Amino acid sequence: AQSVTQLGSHVSVSEGALVLLRCNYSSSVPPYLFWYVQYPNQGLQLLLKYTTGATLVKGINGFEAEFKKSETSFHLTKPSAHMSDAAEYFCAALSSNTGKLIFGQGTTLQVKP
Amino acid sequence: DSGVTQTPKHLITATGQRVTLRCSPRSGDLSVYWYQQSLDQGLQFLIQYYNGEERAKGNILERFSAQQFPDLHSELNLSSLELGDSALYFCASSRTESVVEQFFGPGTRLTVL
C-alpha cells in the first residue's frame, strides 16, 4: 500500500535559518505530490504540488520542494524562516491507481526569534 | 478564505448520539471530499462525491455516511458516536473529479463526551 512518511514530527529553527521538512513516499509509480500547511484552527492550504515536468517546484510564501525519484523524496525547503511560518505541514501523495490522497503524519514547525 | 464553508464550527455531543456535519463547496466545484483528522490516526480520507455520486471511499466506518445534494452541498452523518470519533472533520472541494487541486474548509471540531 502506498504510504507517505514525514521524518520528524517537530522541527525547530531560528528566524532567518533554513527550513527543511522531509517527506518520503512509497510507490512503484511516481505519484502526484503535495505539501499543505495548516495554521492553528484553520483548514489546510496548498503550498505547492508536483504533477509532471520540472522536478523543482516553487510554491507560495517562498517555499519550494524538489521531487527526487531515485530517493522517493519530496522535501520542502525555505531559505529563511519567518515567525509566520510556524504551523503544521503535511506532505501528501495522490495515487494514480486509487485517486486517493494519502497524507503523512505532519510536521510541526516552530520558529524561534 | 478557501471559499469552502463548513457548519457547525464546533459540536459537542454524547456517546451513542448522531450528528450531521455540513459542507458547502466553492462556487463551481463539483467534487466534495471528507477527511478526518485525529491525534492518533492523523489526517485520513473518508469519502468523495462528484456531482451527487459517490466516487471514492477511504477509511470510512459503517456508522458514517455521506451524501451530496443537487445544490452540491454535502453532509456527513455520524451515528452511534464513540469517544474515538472525536476529531476535526474537514471538507474539501475541487472543480473536477481530480483531487489535484482541492480546497479545504476550516473544519468542524467534534467532541464526543
Side-chain angles (χ1 to χ4, degrees):
Chain A
Q2 188 171 6
S3 65
V4 175
T5 303
Q6 290 182 238
L7 298 173
S9 58
H10 284 84
V11 170
S12 182
V13 300
S14 297
E15 194 173 16
L18 170 72
V19 175
L20 170 61
L21 304 183
R22 299 177 189 273
C23 172
N24 288 87
Y25 66 91
S26 69
S27 174
S28 57
V29 177
Y32 292 169
L33 296 161
F34 306 79
W35 275 100
Y36 286 89
V37 60
Q38 184 180 23
Y39 298 103
N41 301 314
Q42 293 187 30
L44 277 72
Q45 181 183 5
L46 181 66
L47 273 179
L48 49 79
K49 65 178 184 280
Y50 169 78
T51 54
T52 57
T55 56
L56 182 62
V57 181
K58 294 189 186 298
I60 61 171
N61 301 339
F63 284 93
E64 61 182 39
E66 187 170 10
F67 169 63
K68 291 188 177 180
K69 185 179 176 181
S70 60
E71 298 176 9
T72 60
S73 70
F74 190 56
H75 301 332
L76 181 71
T77 60
K78 181 173 180 178
S80 176
H82 294 162
M83 296 298 291
S84 60
D85 295 326
E88 188 154 19
Y89 292 79
F90 291 92
C91 180
L94 174 64
S95 166
S96 57
N97 293 333
T98 65
K100 297 175 187 175
L101 203 58
I102 310 295
F103 285 89
Q105 284 297 99
T107 298
T108 301
L109 175 65
Q110 180 188 25
V111 182
K112 297 177 291 187
Chain B
D1 185 356
S2 66
V4 178
T5 59
Q6 290 186 247
T7 56
K9 203 164 183 172
H10 300 278
L11 199 47
I12 301 174
T13 188
T15 54
Q17 295 298 305
R18 171 189 167 98
V19 297
T20 298
L21 313 184
R22 183 188 168 102
C23 168
S24 293
R26 291 187 320 154
S27 177
D29 284 1
L30 298 177
S31 255
V32 169
Y33 312 79
W34 286 98
Y35 294 87
Q36 179 194 58
Q37 185 180 32
S38 62
L39 282 174
D40 52 346
Q41 298 286 339
L43 195 58
Q44 294 207 3
F45 166 71
L46 295 177
I47 198 164
Q48 177 198 0
Y49 279 82
Y50 174 76
N51 206 18
E53 294 188 7
E54 183 183 305
R55 271 293 183 263
K57 224 167 181 175
N59 299 322
I60 187 166
L61 299 172
E62 284 194 15
R63 300 184 285 109
F64 296 181
S65 65
Q67 53 183 324
Q68 186 179 27
F69 294 87
D71 67 352
L72 301 176
H73 91 271
S74 177
E75 292 181 357
L76 179 67
N77 300 297
L78 315 176
S79 61
S80 303
L81 286 168
E82 302 174 359
L83 296 177
D85 298 327
S86 296
L88 252 179
Y89 290 85
F90 287 109
C91 167
S93 72
S94 64
R95 192 85 34 180
T96 67
E97 286 186 70
S98 168
V99 79
V100 173
E101 187 92 36
Q102 61 180 317
F103 295 84
F104 282 77
T108 293
R109 182 170 293 282
L110 173 66
T111 302
V112 182
L113 300 175

